[in-house]
Structure formats: C-alpha cells, structure tokens
Amino acid sequence: MRTERNGLGGVFVVAEVRRSGIHSCTLELVSKARELADARGREVTAIVLRSPSEEPVEPLFRHGADRILLVEDERLGSLNAEVHSRIVAHLIGKGDAEIVLAPATTTGRTLLPAVAALIHTGLTADCTGLEIDAETGLLLQTRPAIGGNVIATIKTPDHLPQMATVRPKTFPVAPPQDRLGRVERPLLDESLFCTSVVCLGEESVEGEEVDIQGLDVIVSGGKGLKRPEGFRLLQELADLLEGAVGASRPTVEAKWISYPHQVGLSGKVVAPRIYLAAGISGAVQHLAGMQTAETIIAVNKDPEAPLFRVADVALCGDLYEILPRLIDAIRREKEERHD
Ligand SMILES: Cc1cc2nc3c(=O)[nH]c(=O)nc-3n(C[C@H](O)[C@H](O)[C@H](O)COP(=O)(O)OP(=O)(O)OC[C@H]3O[C@@H](n4cnc5c(N)ncnc54)[C@H](O)[C@@H]3O)c2cc1C
C-alpha cells in the first residue's frame, strides 16, 4: 500500500536478457525511466538477472540508469518464472520502488504478473504510453482497451510500486550520454532459488528468431494477397530493400505466415523508416502496430481503404501488378548504381 511504502527508490526497469545480450527494448525503457525519474527527482535502477557473462552492462548507464542490480548465477540462464519473479520481487521490495517497468515481450509478460502477485500490487500490461504526474507520482499508463477501439489511461492510486509492461518500440532509445553509475551485486538468500521447475532444454519455435522490430524497412501483406504464395513476392521486395516481411492477423490465422511476423495490437509494434502495406485494409488493430513508422506506403485496390488515410504514399491498384513493377524498378536502379 502507498501508506506502507514511500517509493523513494524511484523507477526500476527489469532488463530483458537474451542469448545475444541485453535486448534493445530494455534501452527503450531505461530511456523512458530516466524521464519519469527526473520528473520526481529519483533514481533509475536496472535489474539484470543472467548467467555469468562478459557482456557489458554499461550501455544501461549511458541511456539513463543510475544503478544496476546485477545478479549472475548459472541457474538464471533460462527463464524460470518461479525463481526470476521471486528474485525481482525481493529486489524491488528492498529497493522501495515507486515504478517498475518491463518490456511487454514473452519474458516480461510471463514475469511481471507473478511479481505483481508476490508483492500485492497491480499491473498494467502492454502499455503504449506512459506519463507521470510529477507532484503525486501517479503513473498515467496508456493502453488500448476493448479490442483496440478505445485508448484507456490507467492509474494505480492505492498501491506501490506502480507496475507496467510496455510494448517494444513504444519509446525511442535516448541518445547515449557520457555517464556512469554503480553496479551492485546483491547477495541473495539460497531460498530464493528453490524451485520445483526443471528446465530439460530449450528449443526454438519455427520462425521465433524473426525479429521484424529491429529493421528499417518492413513489407507487410494482408488478406488482399489472396494466397500464401503472395508472401514470396513480399519476401523478394523485402530482400531487395534489406528489410523484413510483416503480416496482418488474418494471414497469420490462415497459416500463410508465422506469428512472429504479425504486426498490430495482438502482434508486434514496429516503427521502421519505411512500412509498405500491400493488401491490408487498415483496421485500427493493425494501425496500432505500425502508425509510428516514418513513411507509410499503402498498396490497395480499394480507394476507400482506411490505410490510405494514414499513408504518405498511396498506390491504388492491384498489388500483383504494382509490386512486380516496383521490384523491377528497384532492381534496375540498384544495377545502374553498380555499373
Ligand atoms: C482484439 C483484436 C486484435 C486484433 N489484432 C490484430 C493485429 O495484431 N493485427 C492485425 O493486422 N489485425 C488484428 N486484428 C484484426 C483486424 O481487426 C482486421 O480484421 C485485420 O487487420 C484485417 O486484415 P487485412 O487488412 O489483411 O484483411 P482485410 O480487412 O480483409 O483487407 C484486405 C484488403 O486487401 C485489399 N485487396 C484485396 N485484393 C487486393 C489486390 N489484389 N490488390 C491490392 N489490394 C487488395 C482489399 O481492398 C482490402 O482493403 C485484431 C482484431 C481484434 C478484434
């Protein structure tokens, strides 16, 4: 309860650690946490749980953290929700956090509800915006609700810490600053590691490695492709532009392409430099995942398609006529540059 905790420990970010190191979505959250903490004159603490590693943690300082709580243990190599949530709950409880943030990735979505339950506070999942009332410290947590048709602002007035998971790419990574902080290695009681869960091994699901969020160009397809083979055409275009292929939900549901490609409310939020949408109508749930792209190019045969309303470039016509011409033109342009 607010009355029992004072939240003077500031803003905590639970870092997402992957095999490749600290994930960029953590830097996005540390950047935002800095802004929130500055408004309250408080600190930003990043919690990093991982197996022993040489991977540097200093980027967290450069993007906004004042302090890193680093716990390294062989047993933290793969996510064990029971152990990880217990340790995070212990660290934020001891640190008297006012706000706790984590990426709304599979890991964050698994971990944070368990942490919230352990420390008896609320959690707003999948936020697409965060602001703070500097005076009261109330976190204004924005997220789509009722199937994406309304945007709700949620407050947690009676409990501390205020906890939220935030969709990757919601906030930009702040430019790196020349700043350092302190790394603390808390000693943890062995009982925190007790678990009945045994990890027998890890296997990747087909397509799981696809990371469409990190690329500058995304070429997405929708039901207007009419058939799964349509994605080959999109892949050809994406390859030429060194981009990735995205998809609308119905194409994923139809198994034309795997889920990691899905853009939108129940898929990924992307913010590429160029987002080309072919045969996608532009439902609000799709827009929720791509409308912050720098340049939106829409290809649709219906001049009334809602996506045209947010597009910077509207190509009205049959995608099977337009895309091959676009591919030819880009290929010719590339060849000429090489000559
Ligand atoms: C809770 C909830 C969550 C959702 N989450 C998502 C989400 O994450 N992502 C998502 O995408 N959707 C999501 N949806 C579904 C969403 O409401 C729409 O149904 C979906 O986005 C429509 O997909 P689409 O544009 O591919 O298909 P359609 O709406 O069927 O549009 C197909 C478009 O293709 C055009 N077209 C047809 N043939 C051609 C052609 N030859 N050339 C050019 N254009 C052509 C048509 O004019 C049409 O505009 C969600 C819905 C709900 C209720």
Side-chain angles (χ1 to χ4, degrees), residues 146-148 167 221-226 247-251 262-268 278-286 299-302 305-306 317-320:
I146 319 182
R167 293 186 140 220
K223 268 303 223 188
L225 289 175
K226 298 283 188 338
S248 71
R249 175 158 136 172
T251 63
Q262 186 180 316
V263 173
L265 183 65
S266 49
K268 288 185 176 142
I280 296 180
S281 55
V284 279
Q285 295 88 356
H286 190 82
V299 183
N300 202 302
K301 66 178 187 186
D302 173 9
D318 187 335
L319 69 93
Y320 284 106

Short mmCIF file of all heavy atoms in Angstrom, two decimals, residues 146-148 167 221-226 247-251 262-268 278-286 299-302 305-306 317-320, ligand 1:
data_model
loop_
_atom_site.label_atom_id
_atom_site.label_comp_id
_atom_site.label_asym_id
_atom_site.label_seq_id
_atom_site.Cartn_x
_atom_site.Cartn_y
_atom_site.Cartn_z
N ILE A 146 -10.75 -2.70 -25.02
CA ILE A 146 -11.95 -3.13 -25.77
C ILE A 146 -11.60 -3.35 -27.24
O ILE A 146 -12.08 -2.64 -28.15
CB ILE A 146 -13.13 -2.14 -25.61
CG1 ILE A 146 -13.22 -1.66 -24.15
CG2 ILE A 146 -14.44 -2.80 -26.04
CD1 ILE A 146 -14.36 -0.73 -23.85
N GLY A 147 -10.71 -4.30 -27.47
CA GLY A 147 -10.35 -4.68 -28.84
C GLY A 147 -9.66 -3.57 -29.60
O GLY A 147 -9.65 -3.56 -30.82
N GLY A 148 -9.05 -2.64 -28.87
CA GLY A 148 -8.30 -1.58 -29.53
C GLY A 148 -9.18 -0.42 -29.95
O GLY A 148 -8.70 0.53 -30.57
N ARG A 167 5.05 -2.09 -24.57
CA ARG A 167 5.34 -2.71 -25.86
C ARG A 167 6.67 -2.21 -26.44
O ARG A 167 6.92 -1.00 -26.42
CB ARG A 167 4.23 -2.40 -26.84
CG ARG A 167 2.96 -3.06 -26.44
CD ARG A 167 1.93 -2.85 -27.49
NE ARG A 167 1.20 -4.08 -27.62
CZ ARG A 167 0.79 -4.62 -28.75
NH1 ARG A 167 1.02 -4.03 -29.89
NH2 ARG A 167 0.15 -5.75 -28.78
N GLY A 221 2.04 -7.91 -45.69
CA GLY A 221 0.96 -8.37 -46.55
C GLY A 221 -0.28 -8.69 -45.76
O GLY A 221 -0.22 -9.08 -44.59
N GLY A 222 -1.44 -8.52 -46.42
CA GLY A 222 -2.71 -8.83 -45.78
C GLY A 222 -3.53 -9.80 -46.60
O GLY A 222 -3.02 -10.42 -47.55
N LYS A 223 -4.78 -9.90 -46.24
CA LYS A 223 -5.69 -10.84 -46.90
C LYS A 223 -5.80 -10.58 -48.40
O LYS A 223 -6.16 -11.47 -49.18
CB LYS A 223 -7.07 -10.73 -46.26
CG LYS A 223 -7.27 -11.70 -45.11
CD LYS A 223 -7.05 -13.12 -45.52
CE LYS A 223 -8.09 -14.06 -44.95
NZ LYS A 223 -7.79 -15.46 -45.17
N GLY A 224 -5.50 -9.33 -48.80
CA GLY A 224 -5.55 -8.99 -50.22
C GLY A 224 -4.54 -9.77 -51.05
O GLY A 224 -4.64 -9.80 -52.27
N LEU A 225 -3.59 -10.45 -50.38
CA LEU A 225 -2.65 -11.30 -51.13
C LEU A 225 -3.39 -12.50 -51.74
O LEU A 225 -2.91 -13.14 -52.67
CB LEU A 225 -1.54 -11.83 -50.21
CG LEU A 225 -0.49 -10.82 -49.71
CD1 LEU A 225 0.43 -11.51 -48.72
CD2 LEU A 225 0.33 -10.26 -50.87
N LYS A 226 -4.49 -12.86 -51.11
CA LYS A 226 -5.37 -13.94 -51.57
C LYS A 226 -4.83 -15.35 -51.39
O LYS A 226 -5.58 -16.31 -51.28
CB LYS A 226 -5.73 -13.77 -53.07
CG LYS A 226 -6.49 -12.50 -53.38
CD LYS A 226 -7.94 -12.66 -52.96
CE LYS A 226 -8.87 -11.56 -53.35
NZ LYS A 226 -8.40 -10.26 -53.65
N ALA A 247 2.98 -8.94 -41.45
CA ALA A 247 1.72 -9.55 -41.87
C ALA A 247 0.57 -9.04 -41.02
O ALA A 247 0.76 -8.61 -39.89
CB ALA A 247 1.81 -11.07 -41.72
N SER A 248 -0.64 -9.11 -41.60
CA SER A 248 -1.83 -8.79 -40.81
C SER A 248 -2.28 -10.07 -40.10
O SER A 248 -1.87 -11.18 -40.47
CB SER A 248 -2.95 -8.27 -41.71
OG SER A 248 -3.46 -9.32 -42.50
N ARG A 249 -3.12 -9.91 -39.10
CA ARG A 249 -3.52 -11.07 -38.30
C ARG A 249 -4.24 -12.16 -39.09
O ARG A 249 -3.94 -13.34 -38.91
CB ARG A 249 -4.38 -10.59 -37.13
CG ARG A 249 -4.94 -11.71 -36.31
CD ARG A 249 -5.30 -11.22 -34.95
NE ARG A 249 -6.59 -11.74 -34.53
CZ ARG A 249 -7.07 -11.58 -33.30
NH1 ARG A 249 -6.39 -10.92 -32.40
NH2 ARG A 249 -8.23 -12.07 -32.98
N PRO A 250 -5.17 -11.80 -40.00
CA PRO A 250 -5.87 -12.90 -40.68
C PRO A 250 -4.94 -13.80 -41.50
O PRO A 250 -5.20 -14.98 -41.65
CB PRO A 250 -6.85 -12.16 -41.61
CG PRO A 250 -7.04 -10.83 -41.00
CD PRO A 250 -5.74 -10.49 -40.35
N THR A 251 -3.83 -13.24 -42.00
CA THR A 251 -2.91 -14.09 -42.77
C THR A 251 -2.17 -15.06 -41.86
O THR A 251 -1.82 -16.16 -42.25
CB THR A 251 -1.89 -13.24 -43.56
OG1 THR A 251 -1.08 -12.51 -42.64
CG2 THR A 251 -2.57 -12.29 -44.53
N GLN A 262 3.54 -11.05 -37.31
CA GLN A 262 2.29 -10.27 -37.19
C GLN A 262 2.51 -8.88 -36.58
O GLN A 262 3.16 -8.72 -35.55
CB GLN A 262 1.27 -11.02 -36.33
CG GLN A 262 -0.08 -10.31 -36.30
CD GLN A 262 -1.09 -11.05 -35.44
OE1 GLN A 262 -1.21 -12.27 -35.51
NE2 GLN A 262 -1.82 -10.31 -34.62
N VAL A 263 1.94 -7.89 -37.26
CA VAL A 263 2.02 -6.50 -36.81
C VAL A 263 0.65 -6.08 -36.31
O VAL A 263 -0.36 -6.37 -36.95
CB VAL A 263 2.44 -5.59 -37.99
CG1 VAL A 263 2.37 -4.12 -37.61
CG2 VAL A 263 3.84 -5.96 -38.47
N GLY A 264 0.61 -5.40 -35.17
CA GLY A 264 -0.69 -4.90 -34.70
C GLY A 264 -0.91 -5.10 -33.23
O GLY A 264 0.00 -5.51 -32.49
N LEU A 265 -2.11 -4.83 -32.84
CA LEU A 265 -2.50 -4.88 -31.43
C LEU A 265 -2.12 -6.19 -30.75
O LEU A 265 -1.59 -6.21 -29.65
CB LEU A 265 -4.01 -4.67 -31.34
CG LEU A 265 -4.62 -4.60 -29.96
CD1 LEU A 265 -4.11 -3.36 -29.22
CD2 LEU A 265 -6.13 -4.57 -30.05
N SER A 266 -2.40 -7.30 -31.41
CA SER A 266 -2.07 -8.59 -30.80
C SER A 266 -0.81 -9.17 -31.42
O SER A 266 -0.49 -10.33 -31.20
CB SER A 266 -3.25 -9.56 -30.94
OG SER A 266 -3.72 -9.58 -32.26
N GLY A 267 -0.09 -8.35 -32.18
CA GLY A 267 1.20 -8.77 -32.73
C GLY A 267 2.28 -7.82 -32.24
O GLY A 267 2.27 -7.44 -31.08
N LYS A 268 3.17 -7.43 -33.15
CA LYS A 268 4.27 -6.55 -32.73
C LYS A 268 4.00 -5.10 -33.09
O LYS A 268 3.29 -4.82 -34.06
CB LYS A 268 5.56 -6.99 -33.42
CG LYS A 268 6.07 -8.28 -32.84
CD LYS A 268 7.39 -8.69 -33.42
CE LYS A 268 7.87 -9.94 -32.72
NZ LYS A 268 8.53 -10.86 -33.63
N ALA A 278 0.72 -4.08 -48.27
CA ALA A 278 0.06 -4.47 -49.52
C ALA A 278 -1.13 -5.36 -49.20
O ALA A 278 -1.00 -6.37 -48.50
CB ALA A 278 1.06 -5.23 -50.41
N GLY A 279 -2.31 -4.97 -49.68
CA GLY A 279 -3.50 -5.78 -49.45
C GLY A 279 -3.92 -5.81 -48.00
O GLY A 279 -4.45 -6.81 -47.51
N ILE A 280 -3.65 -4.72 -47.29
CA ILE A 280 -4.07 -4.60 -45.88
C ILE A 280 -5.06 -3.44 -45.81
O ILE A 280 -4.76 -2.34 -46.28
CB ILE A 280 -2.85 -4.32 -44.96
CG1 ILE A 280 -1.89 -5.52 -45.00
CG2 ILE A 280 -3.30 -4.04 -43.53
CD1 ILE A 280 -0.65 -5.36 -44.14
N SER A 281 -6.22 -3.68 -45.20
CA SER A 281 -7.26 -2.66 -45.23
C SER A 281 -6.94 -1.46 -44.33
O SER A 281 -7.23 -0.32 -44.68
CB SER A 281 -8.61 -3.26 -44.83
OG SER A 281 -8.50 -3.90 -43.57
N GLY A 282 -6.32 -1.73 -43.15
CA GLY A 282 -6.01 -0.63 -42.23
C GLY A 282 -6.97 -0.57 -41.05
O GLY A 282 -7.34 0.52 -40.60
N ALA A 283 -7.31 -1.74 -40.52
CA ALA A 283 -8.16 -1.79 -39.30
C ALA A 283 -7.39 -1.17 -38.14
O ALA A 283 -6.15 -1.20 -38.12
CB ALA A 283 -8.49 -3.25 -38.98
N VAL A 284 -8.15 -0.61 -37.15
CA VAL A 284 -7.46 0.06 -36.03
C VAL A 284 -6.45 -0.86 -35.35
O VAL A 284 -5.39 -0.41 -34.92
CB VAL A 284 -8.44 0.57 -34.94
CG1 VAL A 284 -9.07 1.87 -35.33
CG2 VAL A 284 -9.48 -0.46 -34.56
N GLN A 285 -6.79 -2.14 -35.29
CA GLN A 285 -5.89 -3.07 -34.60
C GLN A 285 -4.57 -3.24 -35.37
O GLN A 285 -3.54 -3.53 -34.78
CB GLN A 285 -6.55 -4.44 -34.41
CG GLN A 285 -7.74 -4.43 -33.50
CD GLN A 285 -9.03 -4.12 -34.21
OE1 GLN A 285 -9.05 -3.84 -35.40
NE2 GLN A 285 -10.14 -4.19 -33.48
N HIS A 286 -4.62 -3.09 -36.68
CA HIS A 286 -3.37 -3.15 -37.44
C HIS A 286 -2.61 -1.83 -37.29
O HIS A 286 -1.40 -1.83 -37.04
CB HIS A 286 -3.64 -3.45 -38.93
CG HIS A 286 -2.36 -3.75 -39.66
ND1 HIS A 286 -1.76 -4.99 -39.65
CD2 HIS A 286 -1.55 -2.95 -40.40
CE1 HIS A 286 -0.64 -4.95 -40.34
NE2 HIS A 286 -0.48 -3.72 -40.81
N VAL A 299 -0.55 -0.12 -50.56
CA VAL A 299 -0.95 -0.62 -51.88
C VAL A 299 -2.30 -1.31 -51.69
O VAL A 299 -2.39 -2.29 -50.94
CB VAL A 299 0.08 -1.64 -52.43
CG1 VAL A 299 -0.33 -2.09 -53.83
CG2 VAL A 299 1.48 -1.06 -52.43
N ASN A 300 -3.32 -0.79 -52.33
CA ASN A 300 -4.65 -1.37 -52.14
C ASN A 300 -5.52 -1.05 -53.35
O ASN A 300 -5.41 0.03 -53.93
CB ASN A 300 -5.30 -0.78 -50.86
CG ASN A 300 -6.39 -1.68 -50.33
OD1 ASN A 300 -7.36 -1.98 -51.04
ND2 ASN A 300 -6.25 -2.11 -49.09
N LYS A 301 -6.36 -1.99 -53.71
CA LYS A 301 -7.17 -1.71 -54.90
C LYS A 301 -8.44 -0.92 -54.57
O LYS A 301 -9.13 -0.45 -55.48
CB LYS A 301 -7.48 -2.99 -55.67
CG LYS A 301 -8.37 -3.97 -54.94
CD LYS A 301 -8.62 -5.16 -55.84
CE LYS A 301 -9.65 -6.08 -55.20
NZ LYS A 301 -9.84 -7.32 -55.92
N ASP A 302 -8.70 -0.78 -53.26
CA ASP A 302 -9.90 -0.04 -52.85
C ASP A 302 -9.50 1.40 -52.48
O ASP A 302 -8.81 1.61 -51.47
CB ASP A 302 -10.52 -0.76 -51.63
CG ASP A 302 -11.68 0.03 -51.04
OD1 ASP A 302 -12.10 1.03 -51.65
OD2 ASP A 302 -12.15 -0.37 -49.96
N ALA A 305 -9.87 2.42 -48.84
CA ALA A 305 -9.23 1.63 -47.77
C ALA A 305 -8.74 2.56 -46.66
O ALA A 305 -8.05 3.55 -46.93
CB ALA A 305 -8.07 0.82 -48.34
N PRO A 306 -9.08 2.27 -45.39
CA PRO A 306 -8.69 3.17 -44.29
C PRO A 306 -7.18 3.41 -44.20
O PRO A 306 -6.75 4.47 -43.75
CB PRO A 306 -9.19 2.43 -43.04
CG PRO A 306 -10.22 1.47 -43.53
CD PRO A 306 -9.90 1.14 -44.95
N GLY A 317 -4.39 0.21 -56.66
CA GLY A 317 -4.41 -0.73 -57.77
C GLY A 317 -4.17 -2.14 -57.27
O GLY A 317 -4.07 -2.37 -56.06
N ASP A 318 -4.05 -3.07 -58.21
CA ASP A 318 -3.84 -4.48 -57.88
C ASP A 318 -2.38 -4.70 -57.47
O ASP A 318 -1.45 -4.39 -58.23
CB ASP A 318 -4.19 -5.33 -59.11
CG ASP A 318 -4.15 -6.81 -58.80
OD1 ASP A 318 -3.43 -7.21 -57.86
OD2 ASP A 318 -4.84 -7.57 -59.49
N LEU A 319 -2.20 -5.23 -56.28
CA LEU A 319 -0.84 -5.41 -55.77
C LEU A 319 -0.02 -6.33 -56.67
O LEU A 319 1.21 -6.21 -56.75
CB LEU A 319 -0.86 -5.90 -54.32
CG LEU A 319 -1.34 -7.32 -53.99
CD1 LEU A 319 -0.20 -8.32 -53.94
CD2 LEU A 319 -2.06 -7.31 -52.66
N TYR A 320 -0.68 -7.27 -57.35
CA TYR A 320 0.05 -8.20 -58.21
C TYR A 320 0.51 -7.52 -59.51
O TYR A 320 1.30 -8.07 -60.25
CB TYR A 320 -0.78 -9.44 -58.50
CG TYR A 320 -0.82 -10.36 -57.30
CD1 TYR A 320 -1.96 -10.47 -56.50
CD2 TYR A 320 0.32 -11.08 -56.93
CE1 TYR A 320 -1.97 -11.30 -55.38
CE2 TYR A 320 0.31 -11.90 -55.80
CZ TYR A 320 -0.83 -12.01 -55.04
OH TYR A 320 -0.82 -12.81 -53.93
C1 LIG B 1 -8.73 -7.98 -30.31
C2 LIG B 1 -8.29 -7.91 -31.75
C3 LIG B 1 -6.93 -7.88 -32.01
C4 LIG B 1 -6.50 -7.81 -33.34
N1 LIG B 1 -5.15 -7.75 -33.59
C5 LIG B 1 -4.74 -7.58 -34.86
C6 LIG B 1 -3.36 -7.44 -35.15
O1 LIG B 1 -2.48 -7.52 -34.27
N2 LIG B 1 -3.01 -7.25 -36.44
C7 LIG B 1 -3.91 -7.19 -37.46
O2 LIG B 1 -3.49 -6.99 -38.63
N3 LIG B 1 -5.21 -7.34 -37.21
C8 LIG B 1 -5.65 -7.54 -35.94
N4 LIG B 1 -6.98 -7.73 -35.72
C9 LIG B 1 -7.87 -7.92 -36.88
C10 LIG B 1 -8.30 -6.62 -37.53
O3 LIG B 1 -9.48 -6.15 -36.92
C11 LIG B 1 -8.60 -6.82 -39.04
O4 LIG B 1 -9.55 -7.84 -39.18
C12 LIG B 1 -7.37 -7.19 -39.85
O5 LIG B 1 -6.33 -6.27 -39.62
C13 LIG B 1 -7.72 -7.19 -41.33
O6 LIG B 1 -6.65 -7.78 -42.03
P1 LIG B 1 -6.40 -7.47 -43.56
O7 LIG B 1 -6.27 -5.99 -43.75
O8 LIG B 1 -5.28 -8.34 -44.00
O9 LIG B 1 -7.72 -8.03 -44.27
P2 LIG B 1 -8.96 -7.29 -44.88
O10 LIG B 1 -9.57 -6.36 -43.90
O11 LIG B 1 -9.80 -8.36 -45.45
O12 LIG B 1 -8.36 -6.38 -46.04
C14 LIG B 1 -7.87 -6.87 -47.24
C15 LIG B 1 -7.55 -5.66 -48.10
O13 LIG B 1 -6.91 -6.09 -49.28
C16 LIG B 1 -7.38 -5.28 -50.36
N5 LIG B 1 -7.16 -6.06 -51.58
C17 LIG B 1 -7.82 -7.18 -51.99
N6 LIG B 1 -7.29 -7.65 -53.13
C18 LIG B 1 -6.29 -6.79 -53.47
C19 LIG B 1 -5.37 -6.73 -54.54
N7 LIG B 1 -5.36 -7.66 -55.50
N8 LIG B 1 -4.50 -5.71 -54.58
C20 LIG B 1 -4.49 -4.73 -53.63
N9 LIG B 1 -5.33 -4.76 -52.57
C21 LIG B 1 -6.22 -5.77 -52.49
C22 LIG B 1 -8.83 -5.02 -50.03
O14 LIG B 1 -9.29 -3.86 -50.70
C23 LIG B 1 -8.78 -4.85 -48.53
O15 LIG B 1 -8.60 -3.49 -48.18
C24 LIG B 1 -7.44 -7.81 -34.40
C25 LIG B 1 -8.81 -7.84 -34.10
C26 LIG B 1 -9.23 -7.89 -32.80
C27 LIG B 1 -10.70 -7.92 -32.51
#
